[in-house]
Amino acid sequence: NHFKYGEYIYAKDKDSVIVNLFIPNRLDNGEDIMEITADAEIDTFDMAIKVDKLSAKTLKVRKPLWASSAEFAVDKQHVTPQESDGYYIFEIEKGIITFRFGCKPYLRPCKEDEKTASVCWGPYVLAAINDSTEYITLDRAKLSLLRHSGNGVFNLEGLEFRPLNKISSERYHLYLKIQ
C-alpha cells in the first residue's frame, strides 16, 4: 500500500539502525537522532542522512533495486561501504552520509492484473496528472522516453507525472493500463 510507507522508513535490530525507505524525514526517538533529505536531479536521486546520534554500532541502508549506479561519501570523503543481505553498512556515530543513485523509469505491476501498473522512477511512485475517469494507456516500449524536467515533474508523451507524495488537490491516475 503506497500510503503506508511512513511506517516502514526505519527499523532496528540489536546492532543496527536500519533505513528501509528513502523518504525525507527526521527521526528523534531519544536514542537515535537523524534526518534524511533527498533531491531528484535529471537522472539521479541524491540523498543525505545526517546522523546526530546513533545508539547502535552501525547504520544499515537498504540497497535499492532500482538504482543503476551508486556513489557514497561520509563527511565529503568518498567511501565504499560494506554490503550485506541487501544493505549498505556504515559504522558512524555522527556525521553526514551522502548518496547518489543513478535512476531510470520502471513499472510496478499490480499483483491482481499484470497489465495494470504504476510508473516509477528511482524511489518515486509517479502519478499521471489527468482529469479522465477512464484508465490511461501506456505503451511499455515508450517508458524509456519518460523525462525528468526538474522540480519533481516528469513528462511522457504529453502526460505530466509527479511523485505521489507531491500531489495535493490535483486529479491523478496512479495505475495505468500497459500495452
Side-chain angles (χ1 to χ4, degrees):
N1 183 328
H2 299 301
F3 296 97
K4 290 190 158 211
Y5 288 154
E7 297 175 25
Y8 305 108
I9 296 171
Y10 298 101
K12 198 167 184 177
D13 64 22
K14 65 181 178 127
D15 296 321
S16 305
V17 173
I18 303 164
V19 176
N20 285 308
L21 298 174
F22 307 140
I23 298 172
N25 70 85
R26 181 167 172 76
L27 171 67
D28 186 347
N29 63 11
E31 294 180 343
D32 307 295
I33 302 172
M34 69 179 76
E35 183 173 7
I36 297 175
T37 57
D39 187 33
E41 298 296 330
I42 297 302
D43 60 356
T44 63
F45 178 78
D46 298 335
M47 181 176 82
I49 301 176
K50 181 181 179 205
V51 178
D52 290 320
K53 180 181 173 187
L54 195 65
S55 63
K57 294 180 192 175
T58 60
L59 179 68
K60 292 181 180 178
V61 179
R62 183 181 55 82
K63 183 177 179 179
L65 296 175
W66 48 258
S68 57
S69 62
E71 297 174 17
F72 313 91
V74 174
D75 295 329
K76 298 184 180 179
Q77 296 292 110
H78 175 78
V79 297
T80 302
Q82 294 179 339
E83 295 182 35
S84 177
D85 297 324
Y87 287 88
Y88 298 115
I89 312 295
F90 298 91
E91 291 187 15
I92 187 168
E93 292 178 19
K94 187 174 185 175
I96 299 174
I97 306 169
T98 55
F99 304 77
R100 172 163 279 179
F101 296 112
C103 296
K104 58 186 177 187
Y106 60 98
L107 296 173
R108 180 166 286 159
C110 292
K111 290 180 183 177
E112 304 82 27
D113 178 7
E114 295 216 2
K115 292 187 179 193
T116 303
S118 292
V119 175
C120 301
W121 181 91
Y124 296 120
V125 176
L126 303 177
I129 306 301
N130 192 290
D131 288 334
S132 174
T133 57
E134 300 296 320
Y135 272 105
I136 295 171
T137 302
L138 175 67
D139 182 348
R140 179 185 306 272
K142 294 185 179 182
L143 181 64
S144 64
L145 301 176
L146 180 76
R147 294 293 174 253
H148 183 218
S149 56
N151 296 323
V153 176
F154 297 79
N155 295 286
L156 176 63
E157 295 199 312
L159 282 174
E160 178 182 312
F161 289 83
R162 286 194 228 148
L164 183 59
N165 67 328
K166 303 283 185 191
I167 296 173
S168 58
S169 60
E170 300 90 343
R171 292 178 55 121
Y172 63 90
H173 290 250
L174 186 56
Y175 298 101
L176 286 69
K177 290 294 182 182
I178 308 301
Q179 294 181 329

mmCIF file of all heavy atoms in Angstrom, residues 29-57:
data_model
loop_
_atom_site.group_PDB
_atom_site.id
_atom_site.type_symbol
_atom_site.label_atom_id
_atom_site.label_comp_id
_atom_site.label_asym_id
_atom_site.label_seq_id
_atom_site.Cartn_x
_atom_site.Cartn_y
_atom_site.Cartn_z
ATOM 1 N N ASN A 29 13.989 9.585 18.478
ATOM 2 C CA ASN A 29 13.305 8.734 19.452
ATOM 3 C C ASN A 29 13.998 8.743 20.809
ATOM 4 O O ASN A 29 13.759 7.892 21.639
ATOM 5 C CB ASN A 29 13.182 7.304 18.915
ATOM 6 C CG ASN A 29 14.535 6.652 18.692
ATOM 7 O OD1 ASN A 29 15.567 7.166 19.108
ATOM 8 N ND2 ASN A 29 14.525 5.506 18.019
ATOM 9 N N GLY A 30 14.895 9.718 21.004
ATOM 10 C CA GLY A 30 15.639 9.810 22.253
ATOM 11 C C GLY A 30 16.957 9.062 22.191
ATOM 12 O O GLY A 30 17.961 9.522 22.701
ATOM 13 N N GLU A 31 16.973 7.898 21.551
ATOM 14 C CA GLU A 31 18.201 7.112 21.416
ATOM 15 C C GLU A 31 18.933 7.416 20.115
ATOM 16 O O GLU A 31 20.152 7.372 20.051
ATOM 17 C CB GLU A 31 17.880 5.619 21.450
ATOM 18 C CG GLU A 31 17.348 5.125 22.768
ATOM 19 C CD GLU A 31 17.064 3.631 22.715
ATOM 20 O OE1 GLU A 31 16.980 3.060 21.613
ATOM 21 O OE2 GLU A 31 16.934 3.043 23.791
ATOM 22 N N ASP A 32 18.150 7.681 19.068
ATOM 23 C CA ASP A 32 18.708 7.913 17.739
ATOM 24 C C ASP A 32 18.160 9.228 17.207
ATOM 25 O O ASP A 32 16.947 9.485 17.288
ATOM 26 C CB ASP A 32 18.320 6.783 16.784
ATOM 27 C CG ASP A 32 18.688 5.421 17.345
ATOM 28 O OD1 ASP A 32 19.890 5.171 17.505
ATOM 29 O OD2 ASP A 32 17.771 4.628 17.629
ATOM 30 N N ILE A 33 19.052 10.053 16.659
ATOM 31 C CA ILE A 33 18.621 11.316 16.070
ATOM 32 C C ILE A 33 19.283 11.414 14.703
ATOM 33 O O ILE A 33 20.515 11.414 14.592
ATOM 34 C CB ILE A 33 19.027 12.530 16.934
ATOM 35 C CG1 ILE A 33 18.433 12.401 18.334
ATOM 36 C CG2 ILE A 33 18.577 13.833 16.268
ATOM 37 C CD1 ILE A 33 18.934 13.444 19.323
ATOM 38 N N MET A 34 18.462 11.438 13.651
ATOM 39 C CA MET A 34 18.986 11.575 12.297
ATOM 40 C C MET A 34 17.923 12.182 11.391
ATOM 41 O O MET A 34 16.735 12.175 11.717
ATOM 42 C CB MET A 34 19.476 10.244 11.751
ATOM 43 C CG MET A 34 18.389 9.232 11.479
ATOM 44 S SD MET A 34 19.033 7.693 10.822
ATOM 45 C CE MET A 34 19.702 6.952 12.273
ATOM 46 N N GLU A 35 18.384 12.704 10.283
ATOM 47 C CA GLU A 35 17.474 13.330 9.329
ATOM 48 C C GLU A 35 17.848 12.887 7.923
ATOM 49 O O GLU A 35 19.030 12.866 7.566
ATOM 50 C CB GLU A 35 17.568 14.846 9.430
ATOM 51 C CG GLU A 35 16.608 15.560 8.523
ATOM 52 C CD GLU A 35 16.587 17.060 8.762
ATOM 53 O OE1 GLU A 35 17.409 17.567 9.543
ATOM 54 O OE2 GLU A 35 15.754 17.721 8.150
ATOM 55 N N ILE A 36 16.828 12.534 7.140
ATOM 56 C CA ILE A 36 17.032 12.158 5.739
ATOM 57 C C ILE A 36 16.517 13.285 4.869
ATOM 58 O O ILE A 36 15.378 13.745 5.043
ATOM 59 C CB ILE A 36 16.280 10.855 5.387
ATOM 60 C CG1 ILE A 36 16.816 9.684 6.204
ATOM 61 C CG2 ILE A 36 16.383 10.562 3.889
ATOM 62 C CD1 ILE A 36 16.054 8.392 6.003
ATOM 63 N N THR A 37 17.352 13.738 3.947
ATOM 64 C CA THR A 37 16.924 14.695 2.930
ATOM 65 C C THR A 37 17.173 14.056 1.573
ATOM 66 O O THR A 37 18.043 13.189 1.431
ATOM 67 C CB THR A 37 17.685 16.030 3.039
ATOM 68 O OG1 THR A 37 19.082 15.777 2.936
ATOM 69 C CG2 THR A 37 17.391 16.735 4.362
ATOM 70 N N ALA A 38 16.394 14.473 0.587
ATOM 71 C CA ALA A 38 16.529 13.882 -0.736
ATOM 72 C C ALA A 38 16.165 14.887 -1.807
ATOM 73 O O ALA A 38 15.374 15.802 -1.578
ATOM 74 C CB ALA A 38 15.615 12.656 -0.841
ATOM 75 N N ASP A 39 16.761 14.689 -2.986
ATOM 76 C CA ASP A 39 16.506 15.573 -4.116
ATOM 77 C C ASP A 39 16.676 14.780 -5.398
ATOM 78 O O ASP A 39 17.662 14.048 -5.563
ATOM 79 C CB ASP A 39 17.488 16.751 -4.084
ATOM 80 C CG ASP A 39 17.168 17.804 -5.121
ATOM 81 O OD1 ASP A 39 15.976 18.007 -5.414
ATOM 82 O OD2 ASP A 39 18.126 18.426 -5.628
ATOM 83 N N ALA A 40 15.735 14.938 -6.303
ATOM 84 C CA ALA A 40 15.818 14.277 -7.599
ATOM 85 C C ALA A 40 16.436 15.228 -8.607
ATOM 86 O O ALA A 40 15.989 16.354 -8.759
ATOM 87 C CB ALA A 40 14.431 13.852 -8.063
ATOM 88 N N GLU A 41 17.471 14.758 -9.271
ATOM 89 C CA GLU A 41 18.083 15.510 -10.367
ATOM 90 C C GLU A 41 17.554 14.917 -11.672
ATOM 91 O O GLU A 41 16.654 14.091 -11.653
ATOM 92 C CB GLU A 41 19.608 15.425 -10.266
ATOM 93 C CG GLU A 41 20.172 16.039 -8.997
ATOM 94 C CD GLU A 41 19.920 17.537 -8.886
ATOM 95 O OE1 GLU A 41 19.841 18.218 -9.925
ATOM 96 O OE2 GLU A 41 19.809 18.026 -7.752
ATOM 97 N N ILE A 42 18.127 15.315 -12.790
ATOM 98 C CA ILE A 42 17.620 14.849 -14.083
ATOM 99 C C ILE A 42 17.719 13.334 -14.226
ATOM 100 O O ILE A 42 16.787 12.688 -14.661
ATOM 101 C CB ILE A 42 18.346 15.563 -15.247
ATOM 102 C CG1 ILE A 42 18.070 17.081 -15.193
ATOM 103 C CG2 ILE A 42 17.944 14.994 -16.597
ATOM 104 C CD1 ILE A 42 16.608 17.480 -15.253
ATOM 105 N N ASP A 43 18.838 12.735 -13.840
ATOM 106 C CA ASP A 43 18.966 11.283 -13.957
ATOM 107 C C ASP A 43 19.542 10.624 -12.706
ATOM 108 O O ASP A 43 20.001 9.490 -12.748
ATOM 109 C CB ASP A 43 19.786 10.901 -15.192
ATOM 110 C CG ASP A 43 21.194 11.475 -15.156
ATOM 111 O OD1 ASP A 43 21.508 12.230 -14.213
ATOM 112 O OD2 ASP A 43 21.979 11.161 -16.068
ATOM 113 N N THR A 44 19.524 11.360 -11.593
ATOM 114 C CA THR A 44 19.999 10.790 -10.331
ATOM 115 C C THR A 44 19.062 11.152 -9.186
ATOM 116 O O THR A 44 18.291 12.100 -9.267
ATOM 117 C CB THR A 44 21.413 11.306 -9.959
ATOM 118 O OG1 THR A 44 21.361 12.719 -9.757
ATOM 119 C CG2 THR A 44 22.439 10.940 -11.010
ATOM 120 N N PHE A 45 19.161 10.366 -8.147
ATOM 121 C CA PHE A 45 18.463 10.623 -6.896
ATOM 122 C C PHE A 45 19.545 10.807 -5.848
ATOM 123 O O PHE A 45 20.351 9.910 -5.609
ATOM 124 C CB PHE A 45 17.551 9.447 -6.535
ATOM 125 C CG PHE A 45 16.843 9.622 -5.227
ATOM 126 C CD1 PHE A 45 15.738 10.438 -5.126
ATOM 127 C CD2 PHE A 45 17.289 8.960 -4.090
ATOM 128 C CE1 PHE A 45 15.081 10.598 -3.917
ATOM 129 C CE2 PHE A 45 16.635 9.113 -2.875
ATOM 130 C CZ PHE A 45 15.536 9.931 -2.792
ATOM 131 N N ASP A 46 19.601 12.001 -5.261
ATOM 132 C CA ASP A 46 20.610 12.325 -4.258
ATOM 133 C C ASP A 46 19.959 12.324 -2.886
ATOM 134 O O ASP A 46 18.871 12.873 -2.711
ATOM 135 C CB ASP A 46 21.225 13.699 -4.536
ATOM 136 C CG ASP A 46 21.945 13.745 -5.870
ATOM 137 O OD1 ASP A 46 22.386 12.687 -6.347
ATOM 138 O OD2 ASP A 46 22.055 14.843 -6.443
ATOM 139 N N MET A 47 20.642 11.719 -1.934
ATOM 140 C CA MET A 47 20.096 11.614 -0.585
ATOM 141 C C MET A 47 21.218 11.858 0.411
ATOM 142 O O MET A 47 22.380 11.530 0.152
ATOM 143 C CB MET A 47 19.508 10.214 -0.385
ATOM 144 C CG MET A 47 18.889 9.992 0.981
ATOM 145 S SD MET A 47 18.116 8.379 1.131
ATOM 146 C CE MET A 47 19.521 7.341 1.493
ATOM 147 N N ALA A 48 20.865 12.436 1.549
ATOM 148 C CA ALA A 48 21.822 12.611 2.646
ATOM 149 C C ALA A 48 21.161 12.155 3.937
ATOM 150 O O ALA A 48 19.969 12.386 4.148
ATOM 151 C CB ALA A 48 22.254 14.069 2.757
ATOM 152 N N ILE A 49 21.932 11.492 4.757
ATOM 153 C CA ILE A 49 21.484 11.126 6.095
ATOM 154 C C ILE A 49 22.427 11.821 7.072
ATOM 155 O O ILE A 49 23.616 11.506 7.123
ATOM 156 C CB ILE A 49 21.498 9.610 6.337
ATOM 157 C CG1 ILE A 49 20.599 8.895 5.324
ATOM 158 C CG2 ILE A 49 21.059 9.295 7.766
ATOM 159 C CD1 ILE A 49 20.620 7.382 5.432
ATOM 160 N N LYS A 50 21.882 12.777 7.804
ATOM 161 C CA LYS A 50 22.663 13.482 8.820
ATOM 162 C C LYS A 50 22.419 12.765 10.143
ATOM 163 O O LYS A 50 21.309 12.768 10.673
ATOM 164 C CB LYS A 50 22.233 14.939 8.921
ATOM 165 C CG LYS A 50 23.034 15.705 9.951
ATOM 166 C CD LYS A 50 22.573 17.145 10.062
ATOM 167 C CE LYS A 50 23.405 17.851 11.119
ATOM 168 N NZ LYS A 50 22.708 18.978 11.682
ATOM 169 N N VAL A 51 23.463 12.157 10.658
ATOM 170 C CA VAL A 51 23.383 11.414 11.921
ATOM 171 C C VAL A 51 23.909 12.315 13.033
ATOM 172 O O VAL A 51 25.080 12.698 13.032
ATOM 173 C CB VAL A 51 24.208 10.111 11.846
ATOM 174 C CG1 VAL A 51 24.147 9.368 13.172
ATOM 175 C CG2 VAL A 51 23.734 9.225 10.708
ATOM 176 N N ASP A 52 23.033 12.662 13.965
ATOM 177 C CA ASP A 52 23.441 13.443 15.134
ATOM 178 C C ASP A 52 23.747 12.546 16.322
ATOM 179 O O ASP A 52 24.565 12.871 17.171
ATOM 180 C CB ASP A 52 22.353 14.451 15.520
ATOM 181 C CG ASP A 52 22.223 15.568 14.496
ATOM 182 O OD1 ASP A 52 23.262 16.032 13.995
ATOM 183 O OD2 ASP A 52 21.086 15.955 14.181
ATOM 184 N N LYS A 53 23.058 11.398 16.383
ATOM 185 C CA LYS A 53 23.254 10.461 17.491
ATOM 186 C C LYS A 53 22.773 9.093 17.027
ATOM 187 O O LYS A 53 21.691 8.978 16.441
ATOM 188 C CB LYS A 53 22.434 10.934 18.696
ATOM 189 C CG LYS A 53 22.550 10.058 19.917
ATOM 190 C CD LYS A 53 21.670 10.621 21.046
ATOM 191 C CE LYS A 53 21.612 9.712 22.227
ATOM 192 N NZ LYS A 53 20.638 10.178 23.220
ATOM 193 N N LEU A 54 23.572 8.080 17.267
ATOM 194 C CA LEU A 54 23.203 6.722 16.886
ATOM 195 C C LEU A 54 23.510 5.802 18.052
ATOM 196 O O LEU A 54 24.653 5.733 18.512
ATOM 197 C CB LEU A 54 23.981 6.298 15.633
ATOM 198 C CG LEU A 54 23.482 5.064 14.903
ATOM 199 C CD1 LEU A 54 22.097 5.312 14.321
ATOM 200 C CD2 LEU A 54 24.439 4.688 13.790
ATOM 201 N N SER A 55 22.494 5.107 18.542
ATOM 202 C CA SER A 55 22.678 4.230 19.701
ATOM 203 C C SER A 55 23.277 2.880 19.316
ATOM 204 O O SER A 55 23.793 2.173 20.167
ATOM 205 C CB SER A 55 21.336 4.017 20.403
ATOM 206 O OG SER A 55 20.432 3.350 19.531
ATOM 207 N N ALA A 56 23.213 2.534 18.048
ATOM 208 C CA ALA A 56 23.718 1.240 17.587
ATOM 209 C C ALA A 56 25.135 1.384 17.031
ATOM 210 O O ALA A 56 25.624 2.485 16.821
ATOM 211 C CB ALA A 56 22.778 0.685 16.513
ATOM 212 N N LYS A 57 25.778 0.232 16.762
ATOM 213 C CA LYS A 57 27.124 0.235 16.201
ATOM 214 C C LYS A 57 27.136 0.668 14.742
ATOM 215 O O LYS A 57 28.096 1.268 14.277
ATOM 216 C CB LYS A 57 27.731 -1.168 16.283
ATOM 217 C CG LYS A 57 27.989 -1.673 17.677
ATOM 218 C CD LYS A 57 28.581 -3.071 17.582
ATOM 219 C CE LYS A 57 28.602 -3.754 18.926
ATOM 220 N NZ LYS A 57 29.056 -5.127 18.794
#
